[in-house]
Amino acid sequence: MEKTKKEEIERWYDAHSDAILKFILMLVKDYQQAEDLTHETFVKAYLSYDSFQQNSSEKTWLFRIAHNVTMDYFRK
């Protein structure tokens, strides 16, 4: 049975959220902001799930989203 989008994102969150939080924290140096940006990363991953081509691992894709979300934060 195919996993639902929600189940898949939850699995990715369980597997990768700590690493993504640490990555963002390294960039922003603010724990609360890093938590917010981590959350935003997974919201964007959920919303963009259908565009995930699986040419790379989900972790690579999530880190790219995290990087873009963080850069957007710095531009604001």
Side-chain angles (χ1 to χ4, degrees):
M1 186 174 132
E2 189 180 325
K3 286 189 174 175
T4 66
K5 176 165 71 168
K6 182 176 179 286
E7 290 170 332
E8 190 74 350
I9 296 291
E10 285 172 354
R11 187 180 67 73
W12 292 356
Y13 185 86
D14 291 344
H16 306 299
S17 62
D18 285 349
I20 288 181
L21 176 65
K22 287 176 186 152
F23 169 71
I24 295 173
L25 184 57
M26 195 177 65
L27 297 170
V28 299
K29 315 255 191 288
D30 176 329
Y31 193 83
Q32 186 61 55
Q33 190 60 55
E35 281 188 327
D36 291 349
L37 293 171
T38 299
H39 177 76
E40 189 177 335
T41 296
F42 282 90
V43 169
K44 286 200 182 221
Y46 180 82
L47 296 172
S48 305
Y49 181 81
D50 295 333
S51 71
F52 177 49
Q53 311 262 315
Q54 300 181 346
N55 297 333
S56 60
S57 71
E58 77 253 11
K59 187 174 185 180
T60 302
W61 188 64
L62 289 168
F63 269 88
R64 173 55 46 201
I65 295 171
H67 177 267
N68 291 342
V69 162
T70 305
M71 292 305 112
D72 288 348
Y73 162 75
F74 282 129
R75 284 188 205 106
K76 287 178 189 164

